[in-house]
Amino acid sequence: MYVYADNAATTAMSQTAIDAMLPYFKDNFGNPSSLHSVGQAAREALDNARDKVAACLGCEAREIYFTSGGSEADNQAIISAARLGARKGKKHIISTAFEHHAVLHTLAKLEKEGFDVTYLDVRQGHNITAQQVKDAIREDTCLVTVMYANNEIGSILPIPQIGAVCREAGVLFHTDAVQAAGHLHIDVKEQNIDMLSLSGHKFHGPKGVGALYVRRGIALTNLIEGGAQERGKRAGTENIAGICGMAAALEEACAHLDENAAKVTALRDRLIEGLSKIPHCALNGDPVNRLPGNVSFCFEGIEGESLLLLLDMKGIAASSGSACTSGSLDPSHVLLAIGRVHDVAHGSLRLSLCEYNTEEEIDHILAVVPEVVQYLRNMSPVWRDLQTGKRQYIL
Ligand SMILES: *Cc1c(COP(=O)(O)O)cnc(C)c1O
C-alpha cells in the first residue's frame, strides 16, 4: 500500500479536470485572440472557465484574472495594493508571521523599498483575531494581506471578521486562499474580500495555473507586460487547457464541498486522535478552526527529515514543516512563528488528506507512524538525554 498524504503540497488531478483539458491540446488549439472561428472556440472556452471560477467565489467574471498559479496571484495582488497605497502616501501593510513565502518574500521586497510591514503574532491559538488586525491598522495602512488557511498547520483564519474590519477602515484586504479554495465556503462579497489568490493544483486541477479575484475598481499593476490578455493586466497567450482544467476542478470541488469536508474531517480526526497517543508530541495549528485535511504534529527527540524518508519507505508520502534549502536545515518559519523552539520544530510531520484517502489508509498511517517515531527515538542521542534527565522535555 502506498498512501499519498501530502495534498497540501499538491493534489492528484481529477478525471473531470483531465477530461476538461484534453480537447485544448489537439482539436481546439486556437489562440483566443484570433478572430477566426478556431480562435473564437478557444475564446468561448476561456469565457466559460472564467464564469465557472467567478460562480465558485461569488463574484463577476470580469473580476477574475488568470495567472500562472498562486505565487503569481499573491505577488500581483500585493504589489498592486502597494503601488496604489504609495500614490496616497500610505506605505504600511499588515500581514501575519506564518504566511506562505510567495507573500512573505514579496513583502520583504517592499520593505526594502521603504514600506513598513506589521507581522501579526500567531502564537496565541496558532491563529490571529480580527481584533489584532483592527488594533494594527494605522492612518497610513494601505493593505491587509492574511492567508485564508495555513498550508502547514491548517489554521483557518477569521476571514469574514477581518474583511469587516478592513471594509470599515477603508483598507484593501487581500487573502491567499490557495489552501481554502475548493475546500471551504468562500463568498468574496459576503466576506468583504477585495483580492483573493487561488491555485489549480491544490484542488485536483493542473499545476502552473491560478487565478486572482480583484474587486471591480481596484487598479492592478502588471507583473508581465505585453499583449492585452486578461483585460490588459496579465500579458501572454492564455493557458487554455490549464485554465479549463482548473475551472472544471474548482466547479467539481465546490459542488461536493460539504460531503468532501465531512469525509476528510472524519479521517483527519481519527488520525489526530491516534497520533496524539505518541508520548511527547504536540498538535500544531488551531485545533478547532482547522482545514479538513490537515494533521500537523511535532515529536520531541526526532528529525523530521529522517521520519519522512522512513515513512516513504513504508509507503507513506508526507511532509515535514521544515524547508531544507541550499544545504542548510532551517526549521519551518511557520512552526517558529507559532512559538515552537528550534529542536521541537525540527521534529515535525504534516499529513494532508483529501477525499481520495480511505479508512484503510488511515489504519496504515496509524500502524506505521508510532513505530517509526519510536525507532528513530531509540537511535537519537537527544532522546537519550531527555530520558536520562540531562535535557528537559518541552512537549
Ligand atoms: C501552494 C501555495 C501557494 C503557491 O501556489 P503555486 O500555485 O504553487 O504558486 C501559495 N500559498 C499557499 C498557502 C499555498 O499553499
Side-chain angles (χ1 to χ4, degrees), residues 8 68-72 74 100 102 147 149 151 176 178-179 199 201-202:
S68 67
S71 299
E72 185 188 330
D74 284 341
H100 190 274
M147 65 205 322
N151 48 307
D176 172 344
V178 173
Q179 290 292 328
S199 174
H201 73 106
K202 304 291 176 78

Side-chain angles (χ1 to χ4, degrees), residues 351-394:
L351 297 154
S352 43
L353 309 172
C354 76
E355 68 276 18
Y356 301 170
N357 290 114
T358 64
E359 293 282 351
E360 292 69 36
E361 291 181 341
I362 302 302
D363 293 337
H364 181 65
I365 297 173
L366 285 173
V368 169
V369 173
E371 184 186 290
V372 173
V373 168
Q374 194 50 52
Y375 173 79
L376 286 171
R377 281 176 169 173
N378 289 343
M379 300 193 303
S380 155
V382 173
W383 184 249
R384 194 183 322 116
D385 288 352
L386 286 166
Q387 292 209 299
T388 57
K390 240 170 112 182
R391 248 181 215 254
Q392 300 307 306
Y393 290 109
I394 296 161

Side-chain angles (χ1 to χ4, degrees), residues 8-10 67-74 98-103 147-152 176-180 197-202 206-210 350:
T10 197
T67 68
S68 67
S71 299
E72 185 188 330
D74 284 341
F98 66 5
E99 296 298 310
H100 190 274
H101 281 139
V103 168
M147 65 205 322
Y148 208 113
N150 186 276
N151 48 307
E152 286 188 33
D176 172 344
V178 173
Q179 290 292 328
S197 312
L198 58 81
S199 174
H201 73 106
K202 304 291 176 78
K207 295 171 195 31
V209 59
R350 177 188 70 187

Side-chain angles (χ1 to χ4, degrees), residues 249-260:
L250 187 61
E251 183 181 52
E252 186 179 42
C254 291
H256 301 279
L257 200 141
D258 290 322
E259 77 191 73
N260 287 345

Side-chain angles (χ1 to χ4, degrees), residues 188-388:
V188 291
K189 301 295 170 193
E190 227 168 64
Q191 298 170 354
N192 289 313
I193 297 166
D194 295 314
M195 296 191 274
L196 177 144
S197 312
L198 58 81
S199 174
H201 73 106
K202 304 291 176 78
F203 47 78
H204 305 297
K207 295 171 195 31
V209 59
L212 176 60
Y213 150 76
V214 183
R215 184 166 57 79
R216 193 150 45 91
I218 299 172
L220 277 183
T221 298
N222 287 52
L223 300 186
I224 300 173
E225 302 290 351
Q229 292 90 354
E230 299 301 298
R231 302 166 63 80
K233 296 302 174 189
R234 203 282 182 181
T237 304
E238 300 86 344
N239 173 6
I240 300 294
I243 289 167
C244 290
M246 173 172 71
L250 187 61
E251 183 181 52
E252 186 179 42
C254 291
H256 301 279
L257 200 141
D258 290 322
E259 77 191 73
N260 287 345
K263 180 188 171 183
V264 178
T265 300
L267 297 176
R268 175 200 74 186
D269 289 346
R270 260 193 72 209
L271 205 43
I272 290 178
E273 198 196 315
L275 295 180
S276 297
K277 293 181 188 142
I278 296 174
H280 301 288
C281 76
L283 181 70
N284 302 312
D286 192 317
V288 181
N289 298 309
R290 189 175 191 91
L291 282 172
N294 179 281
V295 177
S296 170
F297 277 94
C298 283
F299 300 106
E300 201 155 357
I302 63 165
E303 283 288 343
E305 281 69 26
S306 342
L307 179 60
L308 289 190
L309 295 178
L310 287 176
L311 289 182
D312 187 39
M313 279 163 47
K314 299 244 176 199
I316 299 168
S319 156
S320 75
S322 20
C324 172
T325 45
S326 61
S328 76
L329 280 175
D330 283 333
S332 140
H333 70 282
V334 173
L335 297 176
L336 296 179
I338 61 169
R340 299 286 182 226
V341 299
H342 273 71
D343 281 356
V344 165
H346 272 303
S348 59
L349 174 67
R350 177 188 70 187
L351 297 154
S352 43
L353 309 172
C354 76
E355 68 276 18
Y356 301 170
N357 290 114
T358 64
E359 293 282 351
E360 292 69 36
E361 291 181 341
I362 302 302
D363 293 337
H364 181 65
I365 297 173
L366 285 173
V368 169
V369 173
E371 184 186 290
V372 173
V373 168
Q374 194 50 52
Y375 173 79
L376 286 171
R377 281 176 169 173
N378 289 343
M379 300 193 303
S380 155
V382 173
W383 184 249
R384 194 183 322 116
D385 288 352
L386 286 166
Q387 292 209 299
T388 57

Side-chain angles (χ1 to χ4, degrees), residues 75 79 83 104-115:
N75 274 257
I79 297 289
R83 298 288 172 256
L104 289 181
H105 292 172
T106 305
L107 293 175
K109 194 162 81 174
L110 289 170
E111 282 182 289
K112 284 200 190 116
E113 291 178 21
F115 281 82

